[in-house]
Short mmCIF file of all heavy atoms in Angstrom, two decimals:
data_model
loop_
_atom_site.label_atom_id
_atom_site.label_comp_id
_atom_site.label_asym_id
_atom_site.label_seq_id
_atom_site.Cartn_x
_atom_site.Cartn_y
_atom_site.Cartn_z
N LYS A 1 129.75 169.03 85.56
CA LYS A 1 128.79 169.73 84.62
C LYS A 1 129.46 169.93 83.25
O LYS A 1 130.59 170.39 83.19
CB LYS A 1 128.35 171.02 85.25
CG LYS A 1 127.09 171.63 84.75
CD LYS A 1 126.61 172.84 85.54
CE LYS A 1 126.28 172.47 86.94
NZ LYS A 1 125.73 173.61 87.73
N GLY A 2 128.77 169.57 82.22
CA GLY A 2 129.28 169.70 80.88
C GLY A 2 130.01 168.51 80.37
O GLY A 2 130.28 168.33 79.24
N ARG A 3 130.35 167.61 81.30
CA ARG A 3 131.09 166.36 80.93
C ARG A 3 130.23 165.09 81.17
O ARG A 3 130.35 164.15 80.39
CB ARG A 3 132.35 166.22 81.73
CG ARG A 3 133.31 167.36 81.53
CD ARG A 3 134.66 167.04 82.25
NE ARG A 3 134.54 166.87 83.69
CZ ARG A 3 134.89 165.82 84.33
NH1 ARG A 3 135.40 164.76 83.68
NH2 ARG A 3 134.78 165.73 85.70
N PHE A 4 129.38 165.13 82.17
CA PHE A 4 128.55 163.96 82.52
C PHE A 4 127.10 164.25 82.22
O PHE A 4 126.65 165.40 82.40
CB PHE A 4 128.67 163.66 84.01
CG PHE A 4 130.00 163.11 84.47
CD1 PHE A 4 131.14 163.10 83.69
CD2 PHE A 4 130.13 162.56 85.76
CE1 PHE A 4 132.36 162.58 84.08
CE2 PHE A 4 131.37 162.05 86.19
CZ PHE A 4 132.46 162.03 85.34
N THR A 5 126.41 163.22 81.84
CA THR A 5 124.96 163.36 81.57
C THR A 5 124.20 162.21 82.17
O THR A 5 124.56 161.05 81.97
CB THR A 5 124.69 163.37 80.02
OG1 THR A 5 125.44 164.47 79.44
CG2 THR A 5 123.17 163.57 79.80
N ILE A 6 123.17 162.54 82.91
CA ILE A 6 122.27 161.51 83.53
C ILE A 6 121.05 161.38 82.63
O ILE A 6 120.45 162.40 82.13
CB ILE A 6 121.85 161.93 84.89
CG1 ILE A 6 123.00 161.91 85.83
CG2 ILE A 6 120.79 160.93 85.45
CD1 ILE A 6 122.67 162.33 87.27
N SER A 7 120.62 160.16 82.40
CA SER A 7 119.42 159.86 81.68
C SER A 7 118.76 158.62 82.30
O SER A 7 119.36 157.99 83.12
CB SER A 7 119.63 159.66 80.21
OG SER A 7 120.50 158.57 80.05
N ARG A 8 117.48 158.41 81.91
CA ARG A 8 116.79 157.21 82.47
C ARG A 8 115.87 156.67 81.42
O ARG A 8 115.34 157.40 80.55
CB ARG A 8 116.08 157.53 83.73
CG ARG A 8 114.96 158.51 83.64
CD ARG A 8 114.50 158.93 85.06
NE ARG A 8 113.78 157.82 85.75
CZ ARG A 8 113.55 157.85 87.06
NH1 ARG A 8 113.92 158.89 87.77
NH2 ARG A 8 112.95 156.86 87.69
N ASP A 9 115.68 155.34 81.48
CA ASP A 9 114.73 154.68 80.61
C ASP A 9 113.79 153.97 81.54
O ASP A 9 114.05 152.92 82.10
CB ASP A 9 115.48 153.68 79.70
CG ASP A 9 114.58 152.97 78.71
OD1 ASP A 9 113.33 152.92 78.96
OD2 ASP A 9 115.04 152.48 77.69
N ASN A 10 112.59 154.58 81.74
CA ASN A 10 111.65 154.03 82.66
C ASN A 10 111.06 152.69 82.24
O ASN A 10 110.65 151.84 83.09
CB ASN A 10 110.50 155.01 82.92
CG ASN A 10 110.99 156.24 83.75
OD1 ASN A 10 111.93 156.15 84.46
ND2 ASN A 10 110.29 157.35 83.57
N ALA A 11 111.04 152.46 80.92
CA ALA A 11 110.53 151.12 80.44
C ALA A 11 111.53 149.99 80.86
O ALA A 11 111.11 148.90 80.99
CB ALA A 11 110.39 151.14 78.95
N LYS A 12 112.77 150.38 81.01
CA LYS A 12 113.82 149.36 81.41
C LYS A 12 114.18 149.47 82.84
O LYS A 12 115.13 148.72 83.31
CB LYS A 12 115.06 149.55 80.52
CG LYS A 12 114.83 149.26 79.05
CD LYS A 12 116.09 149.41 78.25
CE LYS A 12 115.88 149.10 76.85
NZ LYS A 12 117.09 149.23 75.96
N ASN A 13 113.56 150.36 83.61
CA ASN A 13 113.89 150.53 85.02
C ASN A 13 115.41 150.79 85.24
O ASN A 13 116.03 150.27 86.13
CB ASN A 13 113.46 149.31 85.86
CG ASN A 13 112.01 149.26 86.11
OD1 ASN A 13 111.25 150.10 85.54
ND2 ASN A 13 111.50 148.31 86.79
N THR A 14 115.95 151.63 84.36
CA THR A 14 117.40 151.82 84.40
C THR A 14 117.69 153.30 84.31
O THR A 14 117.09 154.05 83.55
CB THR A 14 118.09 151.09 83.21
OG1 THR A 14 117.80 149.66 83.36
CG2 THR A 14 119.59 151.25 83.26
N VAL A 15 118.71 153.71 85.06
CA VAL A 15 119.25 155.05 84.99
C VAL A 15 120.72 154.96 84.51
O VAL A 15 121.42 154.00 84.87
CB VAL A 15 119.16 155.81 86.34
CG1 VAL A 15 119.95 155.16 87.44
CG2 VAL A 15 119.57 157.26 86.20
N TYR A 16 121.18 155.96 83.73
CA TYR A 16 122.51 155.98 83.17
C TYR A 16 123.30 157.15 83.56
O TYR A 16 122.71 158.20 83.84
CB TYR A 16 122.38 155.90 81.59
CG TYR A 16 121.55 154.74 81.06
CD1 TYR A 16 120.20 154.95 80.69
CD2 TYR A 16 122.09 153.52 80.95
CE1 TYR A 16 119.45 153.90 80.21
CE2 TYR A 16 121.38 152.44 80.40
CZ TYR A 16 120.03 152.64 80.09
OH TYR A 16 119.28 151.62 79.58
N LEU A 17 124.59 156.99 83.55
CA LEU A 17 125.50 158.10 83.70
C LEU A 17 126.53 158.02 82.58
O LEU A 17 127.43 157.18 82.59
CB LEU A 17 126.20 158.08 85.07
CG LEU A 17 127.14 159.27 85.37
CD1 LEU A 17 126.29 160.53 85.48
CD2 LEU A 17 127.91 159.02 86.63
N GLN A 18 126.36 158.94 81.65
CA GLN A 18 127.32 159.01 80.52
C GLN A 18 128.46 159.96 80.94
O GLN A 18 128.18 161.13 81.30
CB GLN A 18 126.67 159.55 79.28
CG GLN A 18 127.58 159.72 78.10
CD GLN A 18 128.18 158.42 77.61
OE1 GLN A 18 127.43 157.42 77.42
NE2 GLN A 18 129.46 158.39 77.33
N MET A 19 129.65 159.45 80.95
CA MET A 19 130.81 160.22 81.45
C MET A 19 131.76 160.44 80.30
O MET A 19 132.35 159.47 79.75
CB MET A 19 131.51 159.50 82.62
CG MET A 19 130.55 159.17 83.74
SD MET A 19 131.40 158.42 85.19
CE MET A 19 131.97 156.90 84.46
N ASN A 20 131.98 161.67 79.90
CA ASN A 20 132.89 161.98 78.84
C ASN A 20 134.01 162.83 79.33
O ASN A 20 133.96 163.43 80.39
CB ASN A 20 132.13 162.78 77.73
CG ASN A 20 131.04 161.97 77.11
OD1 ASN A 20 131.09 160.74 77.00
ND2 ASN A 20 129.97 162.67 76.69
N SER A 21 135.10 162.94 78.56
CA SER A 21 136.23 163.78 78.96
C SER A 21 136.71 163.44 80.33
O SER A 21 136.96 164.31 81.18
CB SER A 21 135.94 165.25 78.78
OG SER A 21 135.49 165.59 77.54
N LEU A 22 136.86 162.20 80.61
CA LEU A 22 137.19 161.72 82.00
C LEU A 22 138.60 162.19 82.36
O LEU A 22 139.49 162.29 81.48
CB LEU A 22 137.08 160.24 82.06
CG LEU A 22 135.66 159.74 82.20
CD1 LEU A 22 135.53 158.25 81.83
CD2 LEU A 22 135.13 159.97 83.60
N LYS A 23 138.71 162.46 83.65
CA LYS A 23 139.95 162.95 84.25
C LYS A 23 140.40 161.97 85.36
O LYS A 23 139.53 161.29 85.95
CB LYS A 23 139.76 164.34 84.83
CG LYS A 23 139.22 165.37 83.91
CD LYS A 23 138.93 166.67 84.65
CE LYS A 23 138.33 167.72 83.73
NZ LYS A 23 138.03 168.99 84.45
N PRO A 24 141.68 161.94 85.65
CA PRO A 24 142.10 161.02 86.75
C PRO A 24 141.42 161.34 88.06
O PRO A 24 141.17 160.41 88.82
CB PRO A 24 143.61 161.36 86.84
CG PRO A 24 144.00 161.78 85.47
CD PRO A 24 142.84 162.56 84.94
N GLU A 25 141.02 162.53 88.29
CA GLU A 25 140.28 162.91 89.54
C GLU A 25 138.83 162.38 89.55
O GLU A 25 138.16 162.45 90.55
CB GLU A 25 140.33 164.41 89.79
CG GLU A 25 139.87 165.26 88.66
CD GLU A 25 141.03 165.78 87.82
OE1 GLU A 25 141.98 165.02 87.55
OE2 GLU A 25 140.97 166.96 87.44
N ASP A 26 138.40 161.81 88.46
CA ASP A 26 137.07 161.15 88.43
C ASP A 26 137.15 159.72 88.95
O ASP A 26 136.07 159.07 89.08
CB ASP A 26 136.47 161.11 87.02
CG ASP A 26 136.16 162.52 86.48
OD1 ASP A 26 135.64 163.34 87.22
OD2 ASP A 26 136.45 162.75 85.29
N THR A 27 138.36 159.25 89.21
CA THR A 27 138.51 157.91 89.74
C THR A 27 137.81 157.75 91.07
O THR A 27 138.09 158.55 91.98
CB THR A 27 140.00 157.58 89.87
OG1 THR A 27 140.63 157.53 88.60
CG2 THR A 27 140.17 156.17 90.53
N ALA A 28 136.93 156.81 91.17
CA ALA A 28 136.14 156.60 92.40
C ALA A 28 135.25 155.38 92.27
O ALA A 28 135.10 154.81 91.18
CB ALA A 28 135.29 157.80 92.69
N LEU A 29 134.66 155.02 93.35
CA LEU A 29 133.56 154.00 93.40
C LEU A 29 132.28 154.80 93.14
O LEU A 29 131.94 155.75 93.90
CB LEU A 29 133.48 153.24 94.65
CG LEU A 29 132.60 152.08 94.74
CD1 LEU A 29 132.96 151.01 93.70
CD2 LEU A 29 132.61 151.46 96.14
N TYR A 30 131.52 154.47 92.10
CA TYR A 30 130.34 155.25 91.74
C TYR A 30 129.10 154.40 92.17
O TYR A 30 128.94 153.23 91.93
CB TYR A 30 130.22 155.44 90.25
CG TYR A 30 131.18 156.57 89.80
CD1 TYR A 30 132.56 156.40 89.78
CD2 TYR A 30 130.62 157.80 89.37
CE1 TYR A 30 133.33 157.46 89.39
CE2 TYR A 30 131.40 158.79 88.99
CZ TYR A 30 132.78 158.67 89.03
OH TYR A 30 133.62 159.68 88.62
N TYR A 31 128.21 155.10 92.93
CA TYR A 31 126.97 154.51 93.45
C TYR A 31 125.76 155.22 92.83
O TYR A 31 125.74 156.37 92.58
CB TYR A 31 126.87 154.76 94.97
CG TYR A 31 127.98 154.23 95.79
CD1 TYR A 31 129.13 154.98 96.07
CD2 TYR A 31 127.86 152.95 96.34
CE1 TYR A 31 130.11 154.48 96.90
CE2 TYR A 31 128.84 152.47 97.19
CZ TYR A 31 129.98 153.21 97.43
OH TYR A 31 130.97 152.80 98.24
N CYS A 32 124.70 154.39 92.64
CA CYS A 32 123.43 155.07 92.31
C CYS A 32 122.59 155.03 93.51
O CYS A 32 122.80 154.16 94.43
CB CYS A 32 122.77 154.46 91.08
SG CYS A 32 121.99 152.85 91.31
N ALA A 33 121.58 155.89 93.54
CA ALA A 33 120.72 156.00 94.72
C ALA A 33 119.33 156.39 94.27
O ALA A 33 119.13 156.98 93.18
CB ALA A 33 121.27 157.02 95.71
N ALA A 34 118.33 156.13 95.13
CA ALA A 34 116.98 156.38 94.82
C ALA A 34 116.30 157.18 95.94
O ALA A 34 116.58 156.98 97.13
CB ALA A 34 116.18 155.15 94.53
N LYS A 35 115.44 158.12 95.56
CA LYS A 35 114.73 158.96 96.54
C LYS A 35 113.22 158.99 96.12
O LYS A 35 112.85 159.33 95.00
CB LYS A 35 115.29 160.36 96.55
CG LYS A 35 114.51 161.28 97.54
CD LYS A 35 114.64 160.86 98.94
CE LYS A 35 113.79 161.71 99.88
NZ LYS A 35 113.84 161.15 101.27
N TRP A 36 112.40 158.58 97.08
CA TRP A 36 110.91 158.57 96.90
C TRP A 36 110.44 160.01 96.58
O TRP A 36 110.86 160.93 97.17
CB TRP A 36 110.25 158.04 98.16
CG TRP A 36 108.76 158.06 98.03
CD1 TRP A 36 107.96 159.09 98.45
CD2 TRP A 36 107.90 157.11 97.44
NE1 TRP A 36 106.60 158.76 98.20
CE2 TRP A 36 106.55 157.57 97.56
CE3 TRP A 36 108.11 155.87 96.81
CZ2 TRP A 36 105.48 156.82 97.07
CZ3 TRP A 36 107.05 155.13 96.39
CH2 TRP A 36 105.75 155.64 96.49
N GLY A 37 109.47 160.00 95.68
CA GLY A 37 108.85 161.24 95.33
C GLY A 37 108.97 161.60 93.85
O GLY A 37 107.97 161.94 93.21
N GLY A 38 110.20 161.44 93.37
CA GLY A 38 110.34 161.47 91.95
C GLY A 38 110.50 162.86 91.28
O GLY A 38 111.03 162.94 90.23
N GLY A 39 109.96 163.86 91.93
CA GLY A 39 109.95 165.19 91.22
C GLY A 39 111.17 166.06 91.59
O GLY A 39 112.18 165.55 92.09
N ALA A 40 110.97 167.36 91.32
CA ALA A 40 112.14 168.28 91.52
C ALA A 40 112.54 168.35 93.04
O ALA A 40 113.70 168.48 93.29
CB ALA A 40 111.73 169.67 90.98
N SER A 41 111.58 168.23 93.86
CA SER A 41 111.94 168.30 95.28
C SER A 41 112.78 167.09 95.70
O SER A 41 113.69 167.19 96.50
CB SER A 41 110.69 168.45 96.17
OG SER A 41 109.87 167.33 96.01
N ALA A 42 112.46 165.98 95.13
CA ALA A 42 113.23 164.77 95.42
C ALA A 42 114.63 164.83 94.86
O ALA A 42 115.61 164.42 95.47
CB ALA A 42 112.52 163.52 94.79
N VAL A 43 114.74 165.50 93.70
CA VAL A 43 116.11 165.71 93.13
C VAL A 43 116.93 166.58 94.09
O VAL A 43 118.09 166.30 94.30
CB VAL A 43 115.97 166.39 91.71
CG1 VAL A 43 117.29 166.88 91.28
CG2 VAL A 43 115.39 165.38 90.73
N ALA A 44 116.29 167.63 94.62
CA ALA A 44 117.01 168.49 95.58
C ALA A 44 117.42 167.78 96.79
O ALA A 44 118.49 167.97 97.36
CB ALA A 44 116.08 169.64 95.92
N ARG A 45 116.58 166.83 97.28
CA ARG A 45 116.88 165.99 98.46
C ARG A 45 118.09 165.06 98.17
O ARG A 45 118.93 164.82 99.06
CB ARG A 45 115.69 165.20 98.90
CG ARG A 45 114.48 165.96 99.29
CD ARG A 45 114.74 167.01 100.31
NE ARG A 45 115.25 166.51 101.55
CZ ARG A 45 115.57 167.27 102.59
NH1 ARG A 45 115.53 168.56 102.48
NH2 ARG A 45 116.05 166.67 103.70
N ILE A 46 118.19 164.57 96.96
CA ILE A 46 119.33 163.74 96.63
C ILE A 46 120.63 164.46 96.78
O ILE A 46 121.59 163.95 97.35
CB ILE A 46 119.13 163.21 95.19
CG1 ILE A 46 118.03 162.10 95.15
CG2 ILE A 46 120.47 162.57 94.71
CD1 ILE A 46 117.73 161.61 93.77
N ARG A 47 120.66 165.72 96.35
CA ARG A 47 121.96 166.51 96.50
C ARG A 47 122.36 166.64 97.96
O ARG A 47 123.51 166.67 98.26
CB ARG A 47 121.70 167.88 95.87
CG ARG A 47 122.95 168.82 96.02
CD ARG A 47 122.68 170.20 95.48
NE ARG A 47 123.02 170.27 94.04
CZ ARG A 47 124.21 170.54 93.57
NH1 ARG A 47 125.23 170.74 94.43
NH2 ARG A 47 124.46 170.64 92.32
N LEU A 48 121.33 166.64 98.87
CA LEU A 48 121.63 166.72 100.25
C LEU A 48 121.86 165.36 100.90
O LEU A 48 121.91 165.25 102.14
CB LEU A 48 120.45 167.46 100.95
CG LEU A 48 120.15 168.80 100.43
CD1 LEU A 48 118.92 169.36 101.11
CD2 LEU A 48 121.29 169.72 100.70
#
């Protein structure tokens, strides 16, 4: 929080993850994922 920002461009069918102030502990394999529904409840389900 405060370093990374998620955004999306629905016209391009693309989601982005802007990562700033990177730290060695951010080293990882990064995956994107999709959850049907699209709204706030779907966002909550993604966290789970």
Side-chain angles (χ1 to χ4, degrees):
K1 201 172 293 184
R3 300 188 297 122
F4 291 11
T5 303
I6 294 178
S7 61
R8 63 191 293 164
D9 185 337
N10 289 335
K12 295 182 178 179
N13 286 3
T14 301
V15 62
Y16 304 99
L17 182 67
Q18 178 66 44
M19 305 185 294
N20 298 329
S21 302
L22 283 161
K23 304 175 182 180
E25 52 263 44
D26 294 318
T27 294
L29 188 62
Y30 282 72
Y31 301 88
C32 75
K35 178 62 184 175
W36 175 267
S41 61
V43 169
R45 300 307 299 177
I46 288 176
R47 176 181 273 273
L48 299 176

